[in-house]
Amino acid sequence: MSASTPSIAVESRLIHVMAGAIADADGRILVARRPDRVHQGGLWEFPGGKLEPGESPEAGLVRELDEELGIRVLGSRPLIRVHHDYGDRYILLDVRRINDYEGVPQGREGQPLRWLAPEAMDPDLFPAADRPIINALRLPPLLLITGADPLDPDVFLDRLEESLARGIRLVQLRAPNLDRDRYVDLARRAHALCEPHGARLLLNRDPDAVEDLPRHGLHLTSGRLMRSTRRPGRPGELVGASCHDAGQLAHAARLGLDYALLSPVLATLTHPETTPLGWSAFAELVDPAPLPVYALGGLGPEHLDEAIAHGAQGVAAIRSLWSMRGRSIV
């Protein structure tokens, strides 16, 4: 899977495909089975098709979903763009989440349809280019990174519980300066808080040091990421990493990680000496990365729409999410 922009040779065989992620009232996503006779035949995919010359992505998606499903798209937003080289063809899979449409989806070309929860999707039953889409559908738009190491663990965990009550469903537990015993206790208690809310807890620690701890995944610092030669962690859990440049994003993709954070997008109070990327550079780095990427650095929930418009999965934050006590965020 390529994490670089296509070369001139690749551009000559580039196929720009639009696809829609259509959800029902229960959050299940519509998928269609590809005909056996075509490329990647027999696998399941997200409905859509090739963009025609001179056609805008939005117009192409509207046309394709009308032709394939008989629905009229009224509103959509970017989800993820995936570049994938199959050898005989190079696919740019441009996926939008459909947030408003008219009609009842039907397989107008005879294709079988199914509604599947993202968690129930088996990546092996989808084309390789579609697999990052499954990760994007499984991830929420906001990722909370916990604040300063707790002087009082009870206060720290009360604040975490407030965040969960406000709708946070993905939490990265940092606490880098805690000794092992105190981190183990904090991680166990944090996991117990996350479970009833259906939230996932990611431990930001040396993977070998937390092997026996309850968790839903791991988060790697950029240093640990670049020292890794294989994907760490247990089968089925989330693994992501902090990234600051194209090389780190590419390495996260090579390891098969589920997501990345890219920072700093805007200026931050904690690192005022660091030059921020800005939204244009962020978008340029994210576009070729074949995995969901959260924007981090000087951001909060109020930046969510802008982040998504620039290719982000959503927003990750410490200060703005950790300190919003008593305020609804989702």
Side-chain angles (χ1 to χ4, degrees):
M1 186 176 293
S2 173
S4 60
T5 52
S7 64
I8 294 175
V10 165
E11 286 281 7
S12 67
R13 54 192 173 93
L14 173 66
I15 301 173
H16 191 163
V17 176
M18 297 303 302
I22 306 165
D24 68 6
D26 297 320
R28 298 178 304 171
I29 305 297
L30 186 67
V31 296
R33 188 177 181 276
R34 292 180 62 79
D36 292 333
R37 66 183 182 278
V38 304
H39 182 257
Q40 302 290 306
L43 297 177
W44 292 88
E45 66 177 356
F46 301 93
K50 298 177 186 177
L51 196 64
E52 294 183 350
E55 193 174 36
S56 72
E58 293 85 351
L61 184 59
V62 169
R63 175 186 51 77
E64 283 289 343
L65 296 187
D66 176 36
E67 293 173 357
E68 285 197 17
L69 304 175
I71 64 172
R72 179 174 174 236
V73 174
L74 302 177
S76 68
R77 69 156 177 85
L79 178 64
I80 190 171
R81 282 161 54 98
V82 182
H83 297 260
H84 188 87
D85 193 344
Y86 282 108
D88 61 334
R89 65 196 67 194
Y90 187 98
I91 301 291
L92 168 55
L93 189 51
D94 197 341
V95 189
R96 296 183 69 87
R97 185 183 281 275
I98 308 304
N99 48 39
D100 191 15
Y101 69 92
E102 291 179 344
V104 178
Q106 302 176 48
R108 299 182 73 182
E109 299 172 347
Q111 72 275 35
L113 303 178
R114 294 180 67 186
W115 293 94
L116 292 176
E119 293 73 20
M121 294 176 181
D122 181 350
D124 290 338
L125 300 182
F126 288 75
D130 288 45
R131 295 171 193 175
I133 306 170
I134 298 175
N135 284 340
L137 290 168
R138 289 174 175 175
L139 291 167
L142 296 174
L143 191 163
L144 167 65
I145 303 171
T146 58
D149 291 359
L151 299 176
D152 185 334
D154 291 334
V155 172
F156 183 95
L157 292 165
D158 283 347
R159 179 162 288 187
L160 173 58
E161 190 161 29
E162 289 180 7
S163 298
L164 296 169
R166 296 197 313 271
I168 287 294
R169 294 295 177 262
L170 190 58
V171 178
Q172 181 199 138
L173 181 64
R174 291 178 69 245
N177 297 316
L178 287 188
D179 61 39
R180 172 171 167 75
D181 288 344
R182 288 193 295 164
Y183 187 87
V184 165
D185 179 67
L186 190 68
R188 291 186 186 280
R189 295 173 67 185
H191 183 269
L193 289 179
C194 287
E195 283 283 278
H197 291 276
R200 287 172 286 183
L201 181 70
L202 310 171
L203 302 185
N204 185 338
R205 202 79 167 186
D206 181 347
D208 292 335
V210 295
E211 183 56 38
D212 57 342
L213 292 186
R215 65 187 193 230
H216 303 97
L218 297 169
H219 184 84
L220 308 178
T221 63
S222 57
R224 289 192 185 109
L225 166 68
M226 298 310 291
R227 291 192 296 271
S228 298
T229 57
R230 61 179 178 82
R231 175 189 168 107
R234 305 164 185 159
E237 70 178 359
L238 281 174
V239 183
S242 295
C243 298
H244 306 289
D245 57 39
Q248 292 174 358
L249 285 171
H251 192 57
R254 282 193 294 272
L255 296 181
L257 302 194
D258 300 300
Y259 73 91
L261 310 185
L262 180 60
S263 67
V265 177
L266 303 181
T268 67
L269 295 175
T270 52
H271 297 88
E273 74 287 353
T274 303
T275 302
L277 293 167
W279 285 116
S280 293
F282 174 87
E284 289 178 8
L285 289 168
V286 166
D287 184 68
L291 75 171
V293 179
Y294 286 92
L296 171 65
L299 304 175
E302 68 275 14
H303 297 99
L304 185 57
D305 288 345
E306 189 168 17
I308 289 171
H310 285 87
Q313 170 71 22
V315 167
I318 305 173
R319 186 180 301 272
S320 63
L321 292 180
W322 191 241
S323 63
M324 291 180 65
R325 305 189 72 169
R327 294 167 58 190
S328 176
I329 53 176
V330 294

